RNA sequence: AGGCCGGUAGCCAAGCGGCUCAAGGCAUCCGCCUUUUAAGCGGGGGAACGUCGGUUCGAAUCCGACCCGGCCUACCA
């Protein structure tokens, strides 16, 4: 039987403080009232232990719960939330307003904030903690010295209770956290005084501080004032004189040892993940890897540093930061499907931008020689560990430079920023040491195929690869088709349950046949007998790109520039002077991920229009991602754009590399996820299954 | 979109066909403890086992559908 939920009035706030009897007529009908649930619950099973609490809870529920009523799906009704709500009510009786507006902290330490934080106090005074060997306690003389040096330093600090209070009869310990560091406070029953949030004076009641302390829960915010000292075990602590309540945690904190392991909760409720990462108790027993692993908090701090470092680098090299439209009538500048939205006043559909590229190059036309934009792009495509529908891209453009200059600049920029962020040029990612200090390898697509497919062939087919085959269109066609078949079959061999010895599905036999087919073809290939044909045009270029993706992409672990992209898939890029089918373009790969994409910018308006028209033809042929024609951009080019190089760098992916995270969702604070069924706004959308 | 895996109290989880199967730990509540730190000791309470349906005398456990998530593939310059 479903319990009746207490209704929530939405149009007016709940009474600030329920008076006995005064709000009686405002209370819901009894069968809807939480007290009714108590009567039917096990709270009233009477025994010595819980009889008194049961009566108390009944009274409490009737008179106090209505004033802090939150919907069940936000604050579920269970023993822990009930205890917290009850503590809140009693705190209000003791100190008045439970949500004061401010708390003044001391300024003993140098901080950007201008006042002491937990982090600043810990880093400034931790040096007084006596040095002790593992598992030993400091000697009394050491403690005396330390405490003499700390002297009479009185601090006022604030933070969240990072642990449940450890009460020992007439004294207690608890740690406060500012999200980064934690600082222990020590509260004595006879000494601590609570501060009223209404009068800001001490609460005139015996042992008021102790009473308040006993009502605190893991996760509450408090401010304390007291002297710094070092405990018997050598830990820097605050000996609390006054304690002020600052805010209540009505929901229980994540487990102090395990944190939150469910990625769904971590990503949907990032706030809870951040709390967990700051409250998690660090144990010595965990494997060495986790010692160096960044916390969630640190991941996002590092992301912020990366963005700052990149901005600084560009600012120092004469670039101007600009902001171009995110809403646009034409979604162009990249090959991707856009999001559509609607402008009511103009009554037109607009697109969320898929790239700022065409706007930034308009600015080159307008006279900016160096511009950049660091912001979000939106692509209406799949979600994966490397793709989020909105992602952050740094794009910048440099007049009078070409693709080769841009590769150099990009390499130097990454080297500089990585050094600033990690204090080194080597980044460990999943056990691989990524070297940003060395010169990045530069390979054409064909070179990359040759380099990495040779290895593949030794493993699977048993013969080496003749690079010259990539110059013959028939060979390229064969190789691309063969690879398609091979990879289609090969995916079955990685499925669980695949047993090469028991080949029921016939996958093994087919793979063996394919290998034989490949050998035969390779052996009959004799370039000396054949004239060198022309490069075969766009079709062949695209097939080479396909072969590259199949055999080389995921093997590009170290930072590697891949050059010589087919022109047909690069409609905004200048063609190579040596080969009209090849674009002067590169992509930077790290850990098999495309991290950057740059080229010599096409600035001939007539050719640009031709390229757009070719894209339009592909669009009509069913390619939804073919680029949209932007005639105003062609007009801009007609005013004349200087020769220029441009690049886009994926900030999310760079952050992944610098924080050792395999999923893009781990470096985006609030990644997009399917709304929970209960959160769907339109109930009609929850269509029933037939 | 396809394949595989998962969903058990606030958190971490054991159990994977019948009678002690709804363990255990953290948290919460009560009692004791004036320098603890994964505090300790003693005691209490808390669970429609993702949802709906089926098989069965009997389902957390087996079957089906659905919801949500993760990983892989596809898609993604």
């Amino acid at each position: 039987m479903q319990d009746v939920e207490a209704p929530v009035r939405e149009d007016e706030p709940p009474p600030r403080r329920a008076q006995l009897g005064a709000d009686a007529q405002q209370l819901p009908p009894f069968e809807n009232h939480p007290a009714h649930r108590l009567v039917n619950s096990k709270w009233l099973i009477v025994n010595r232990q819980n009889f008194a609490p049961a009566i108390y809870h009944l009274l409490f529920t009737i008179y106090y719960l209505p004033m802090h009523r939150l919907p069940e799906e936000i604050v579920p009704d269970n023993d822990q939330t009930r205890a917290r709500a009850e503590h809140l009510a009693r705190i209000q009786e003791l100190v008045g307003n439970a949500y004061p507006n401010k708390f003044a902290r001391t300024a003993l330490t140098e901080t950007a904030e201008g006042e002491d934080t937990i982090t600043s106090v810990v880093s400034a005074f931790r040096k007084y903690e006596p040095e002790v060997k593992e598992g030993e306690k400091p000697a009394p003389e050491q403690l005396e010295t330390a405490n003499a040096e700390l002297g009479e330093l009185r601090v006022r600090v604030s933070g969240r209770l990072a642990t449940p209070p450890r009460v020992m009869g007439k004294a207690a310990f608890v740690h406060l956290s500012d999200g980064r560091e934690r600082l222990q406070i020590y509260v004595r029953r006879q000494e601590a005084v609570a501060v009223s949030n209404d009068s800001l004076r001490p609460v005139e009641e015996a042992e008021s501080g102790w009473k308040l302390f006993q009502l605190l829960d893991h996760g509450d915010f408090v401010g304390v004032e007291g002297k710094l000292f070092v405990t018997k075990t050598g830990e820097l602590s605050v000996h609390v004189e006054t304690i002020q309540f600052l805010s209540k945690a009505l929901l229980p904190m994540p487990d102090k040892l395990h944190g939150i392991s469910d990625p769904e909760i971590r990503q949907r409720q990032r706030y809870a993940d951040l709390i967990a990462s700051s409250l998690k108790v660090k144990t010595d027993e965990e494997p060495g890897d986790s010692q160096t692993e960044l916390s969630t908090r640190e991941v996002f701090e590092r992301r912020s540093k990366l963005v700052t470092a990149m901005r600084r680098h560009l600012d120092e090299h004469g670039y101007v930061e600009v902001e171009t439209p995110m809403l646009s009538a034409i979604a162009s500048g990249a090959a991707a499907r856009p999001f559509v939205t609607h402008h009511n006043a103009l009554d037109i559909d607009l697109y969320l931008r898929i790239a700022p590229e065409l706007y930034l190059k308009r600015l080159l036309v307008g006279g900016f020689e160096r511009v950049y934009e660091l912001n979000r792009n939106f692509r209406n495509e799949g979600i994966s560990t490397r793709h989020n529908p909105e992602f952050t891209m740094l794009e910048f453009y440099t007049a009078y430079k070409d693709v080769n200059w841009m590769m150099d600049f990009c390499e130097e920029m990454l080297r500089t920023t990585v050094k600033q962020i990690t204090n080194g040029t080597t980044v460990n990612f999943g056990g691989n040491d990524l070297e940003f200090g060395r010169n990045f390898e530069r390979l054409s697509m064909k070179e990359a195929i040759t380099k990495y497919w040779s290895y593949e062939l030794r493993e699977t087919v048993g013969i080496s690869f003749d690079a010259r085959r990539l110059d013959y269109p028939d060979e390229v066609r064969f190789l691309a088709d063969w690879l398609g078949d091979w990879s289609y079959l090969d995916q079955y061999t990685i499925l669980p349950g695949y047993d090469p010895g028991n080949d029921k599905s016939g996958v093994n036999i087919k793979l063996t046949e394919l290998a034989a087919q490949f050998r035969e073809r390779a052996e009959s290939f004799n370039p000396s007998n054949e004239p060198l044909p022309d490069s075969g045009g766009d079709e062949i270029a695209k097939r080479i790109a396909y072969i590259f993706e199949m055999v080389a992409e995921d093997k590009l672990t170290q930072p590697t520039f891949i050059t010589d992209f087919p022109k047909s898939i690069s409609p905004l890029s200048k063609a190579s002077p040596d080969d009209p089918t090849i674009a002067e373009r590169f992509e930077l790969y790290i850990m098999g991920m495309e991290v950057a994409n740059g080229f010599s910018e096409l600035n001939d308006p007539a050719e640009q229009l031709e390229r757009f028209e070719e894209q339009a033809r592909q669009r009509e042929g069913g390619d939804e991602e073919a680029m949209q024609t932007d005639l105003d951009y062609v007009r801009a080019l007609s005013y004349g754009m200087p020769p220029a190089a441009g690049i886009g760098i994926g900030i999310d992916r760079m952050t992944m590399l610098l924080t050792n995270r395999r999923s893009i969702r781990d470096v985006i604070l609030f990644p997009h996820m399917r709304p929970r069924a209960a959160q769907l706004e339109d109930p009609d959308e929850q269509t029933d299954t037939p």
Side-chain angles (χ1 to χ4, degrees):
Chain A
M1 183 174 138
Q2 183 78 27
D3 239 344
V4 192
E5 282 195 19
V8 179
R9 284 196 309 269
E10 288 174 355
D11 44 354
E12 55 178 337
R16 178 142 196 88
R17 186 175 277 244
Q19 300 294 326
L20 213 165
D23 288 326
Q25 61 275 61
Q26 292 179 29
L27 291 176
F30 183 66
E31 59 270 25
N32 286 349
H33 195 277
H36 182 69
R37 281 188 266 178
L38 277 192
V39 173
N40 281 343
S41 78
K42 294 170 189 168
W43 279 100
L44 290 190
I45 295 172
V46 176
N47 66 26
R48 241 180 256 115
Q49 279 268 338
N50 64 16
F51 179 72
I55 295 301
Y56 183 84
H57 281 291
L58 186 64
L59 293 172
F60 164 78
T61 305
I62 291 170
Y63 295 118
Y64 291 102
L65 209 56
M67 69 189 197
H68 267 285
R69 205 193 299 124
L70 288 164
E72 175 85 2
E73 62 266 27
I74 296 174
V75 179
D77 183 34
N78 60 48
D79 58 334
Q80 301 193 64
T81 56
R82 220 175 286 141
R84 285 168 182 266
E86 178 190 328
H87 292 163
L88 173 60
R90 291 170 63 190
I91 286 166
Q92 285 168 323
E93 286 181 343
L94 189 65
V95 302
N97 180 13
Y99 296 96
N101 294 24
K102 60 178 181 179
F103 179 77
R105 299 179 286 188
T106 44
L108 302 179
T109 57
E110 287 287 322
T111 59
E113 291 90 340
E115 35 180 33
D116 294 324
T117 62
I118 303 281
T119 303
S120 75
V121 168
V122 168
S123 62
F125 300 111
R126 186 155 43 195
K127 61 186 178 206
Y128 293 107
E129 292 184 350
E131 284 183 32
V132 199
K133 282 180 203 160
E134 274 292 308
E136 285 182 25
K137 287 191 175 181
E141 313 84 63
Q142 284 180 294
L143 293 177
E144 241 174 75
T145 318
N147 281 323
E149 282 169 351
L150 277 170
E152 299 290 293
L153 278 178
R154 179 179 275 111
V155 291
R156 276 171 69 85
V157 289
S158 52
R160 188 194 279 278
L161 262 67
T163 58
R166 294 190 294 277
V167 179
M168 281 157 300
K170 298 191 176 73
F173 288 97
V174 73
H175 281 89
L176 296 189
S177 163
D178 65 355
R180 272 204 192 94
E181 288 283 351
R182 46 173 61 203
L183 175 62
Q184 181 168 260
I185 65 172
Y186 174 58
V187 179
R188 274 187 163 174
R189 178 169 182 163
Q190 289 168 332
E191 296 169 1
V193 175
V195 173
S196 160
N197 282 333
D198 292 338
S199 68
L200 292 181
R201 293 164 178 280
V203 172
E204 295 191 13
E205 199 176 323
E207 297 180 352
S208 62
W210 188 251
K211 279 187 180 136
L212 175 57
F213 188 85
Q214 285 184 304
L215 296 171
L216 294 181
D217 289 300
H218 188 193
D220 290 356
F221 282 91
V222 296
V224 298
E225 176 169 349
K227 286 174 189 161
L228 286 172
F229 77 113
V230 171
T231 64
K232 267 186 191 168
T233 51
E235 180 169 346
L236 182 71
S237 308
V238 179
H239 194 131
V240 172
E241 293 165 13
T242 65
I243 178 164
Q244 188 173 349
F245 187 79
L246 299 180
S247 185
K248 188 72 198 168
L250 289 171
L251 286 166
M253 292 296 108
D255 191 286
K256 65 182 175 188
L257 291 180
H258 306 96
I260 299 176
S261 64
D262 183 348
E264 186 179 346
I265 296 176
R266 285 201 3 231
Q267 289 159 9
R268 280 188 199 278
Q269 302 182 25
R270 185 66 79 190
Y271 38 90
D273 181 29
L274 287 164
I275 293 170
S277 89
S278 70
L279 301 190
K280 193 162 180 255
V281 173
K282 292 186 180 83
T283 57
D284 305 331
E285 292 154 28
E286 287 181 43
D289 204 34
S290 66
Q291 299 283 333
T292 53
E293 188 73 1
L294 297 178
S295 70
T296 304
R297 166 68 173 248
E298 288 164 333
V299 165
F300 290 104
E301 287 187 347
R302 186 166 277 199
R303 180 178 176 129
S304 168
K305 278 185 190 159
L306 171 68
V307 169
T308 304
M310 287 191 155
R311 276 212 168 91
R312 188 185 308 134
H313 191 83
L314 291 173
D315 293 343
E316 286 170 356
H317 287 80
Y319 290 80
V320 177
E321 180 168 12
V322 296
E323 287 155 284
T324 64
M326 298 233 177
L327 287 175
S328 173
I330 297 170
S332 195
R337 289 158 68 185
F339 288 94
V340 187
T341 186
H342 188 78
H343 190 288
N344 289 340
L346 298 178
D347 193 23
I348 51 168
D349 280 344
L350 291 174
Y351 299 100
L352 271 60
R353 75 170 181 202
I354 55 177
E357 171 151 357
L358 300 186
Y359 282 105
L360 292 174
K361 285 193 282 194
R362 282 175 171 92
L363 297 176
L364 292 178
V365 171
F368 286 89
E369 292 189 357
R370 297 190 170 197
V371 284
Y372 73 96
E373 178 160 12
L374 204 169
N375 219 316
R376 228 69 63 79
N377 293 329
F378 307 86
R379 298 189 182 176
N380 205 342
E381 286 161 355
I383 293 177
S384 78
T385 47
R386 290 181 294 283
H387 301 267
N388 195 57
E390 57 177 302
F391 62 100
T392 302
M393 179 124 91
L394 168 64
E395 279 201 16
F396 59 91
Y397 292 83
T398 315
Y400 310 116
K401 302 297 182 188
D402 74 352
V403 71
N404 295 308
W405 180 89
M406 186 53 93
M407 278 192 276
D408 293 340
F409 187 84
C410 170
E411 186 173 332
E412 180 53 32
M413 176 161 145
L414 292 185
R415 196 161 13 250
T416 307
T417 51
V418 166
K419 205 180 285 177
Q420 278 178 32
I421 290 159
T422 65
N423 293 323
T425 53
T426 304
V427 173
N428 188 280
F429 187 93
N432 295 289
D433 282 329
L434 305 177
E435 304 288 354
F436 287 87
R438 292 203 300 249
N439 287 339
F440 295 4
E441 191 170 12
R442 298 183 188 197
L443 297 171
S444 73
M445 247 184 203
K446 285 183 181 177
E447 288 166 344
I449 292 166
T450 307
K451 176 170 177 178
Y452 291 101
W453 206 5
S454 307
Y455 172 78
E456 284 284 276
L457 282 176
R458 278 198 298 280
E459 294 293 303
T460 57
V461 185
I463 60 170
S464 60
F465 181 70
D466 189 335
R468 289 171 296 180
R469 295 177 71 184
L470 293 171
D471 294 329
Y472 292 84
D474 284 349
E475 289 299 307
V476 169
R477 284 192 195 96
F478 168 80
L479 291 170
D481 290 343
W482 185 87
L483 255 178
D485 293 343
W486 177 272
S487 67
Y488 177 77
L489 287 169
D490 200 45
Q491 66 179 314
Y492 290 101
T493 65
I494 56 170
L495 294 181
Y498 171 77
D499 176 9
N502 177 16
D503 192 34
K504 274 182 292 193
S505 57
V507 166
N508 249 345
I509 294 171
K510 285 180 196 157
L511 282 172
T512 311
E513 284 171 7
L514 274 176
Q517 196 187 333
F518 186 91
R519 262 195 300 275
E520 204 176 300
R521 177 88 184 196
E523 278 157 12
S524 67
F525 175 70
N526 188 351
S528 58
N529 294 345
E530 300 182 36
L532 190 65
D534 67 29
S535 59
D538 286 347
E539 178 229 340
I540 294 307
K542 279 186 174 175
R543 282 175 185 267
I544 288 176
Y546 172 77
I547 296 171
F548 164 76
E549 281 168 30
M550 296 302 282
V551 301
E553 205 175 74
D554 65 338
K555 303 200 174 48
L556 300 174
T557 304
Q558 294 297 330
T560 306
F561 287 114
I562 298 296
T563 59
D564 292 5
F565 278 68
K567 189 180 80 176
S568 56
I569 57 170
S570 313
L572 302 171
S573 172
K574 263 191 179 145
S576 159
D578 306 328
D579 182 344
T581 67
I582 293 294
E584 247 195 12
R585 170 179 172 189
F586 69 88
E587 285 187 355
L588 174 63
Y589 285 86
I590 308 174
M591 277 311 297
M593 279 194 299
E594 180 196 337
V595 171
N597 176 13
F599 38 86
S600 299
E601 304 296 337
L602 177 59
N603 58 348
D604 174 347
E607 188 179 350
Q608 183 63 71
L609 185 58
E610 260 173 50
R611 302 272 196 99
F612 275 142
E613 282 165 352
E614 168 57 26
Q615 292 290 311
R617 276 191 291 279
Q618 291 183 17
R619 218 176 159 73
E620 277 164 29
D623 183 355
E624 282 187 72
E625 287 170 358
M627 209 174 282
Q628 287 193 42
T629 303
D630 186 340
L631 289 178
D632 181 70
Y633 174 65
V634 177
R635 177 188 297 127
L637 291 185
S638 303
Y639 277 99
M641 184 180 102
I647 188 173
I649 300 176
I651 297 299
D652 309 278
R653 290 180 178 178
M654 268 310 291
T655 308
M656 288 167 69
L657 294 169
L658 294 179
T659 57
N660 197 18
R661 290 300 194 278
R662 275 151 206 286
S663 170
I664 200 167
R665 291 179 174 192
D666 290 335
V667 300
I668 292 173
L669 279 168
F670 301 100
H672 282 283
M673 301 180 84
R674 185 186 297 273
R676 307 238 67 155
Q679 293 175 350
L680 290 177
E681 284 179 21
D682 186 356
D684 296 340
E685 282 178 21
Q686 300 175 52
T687 43
D688 295 322
T689 50

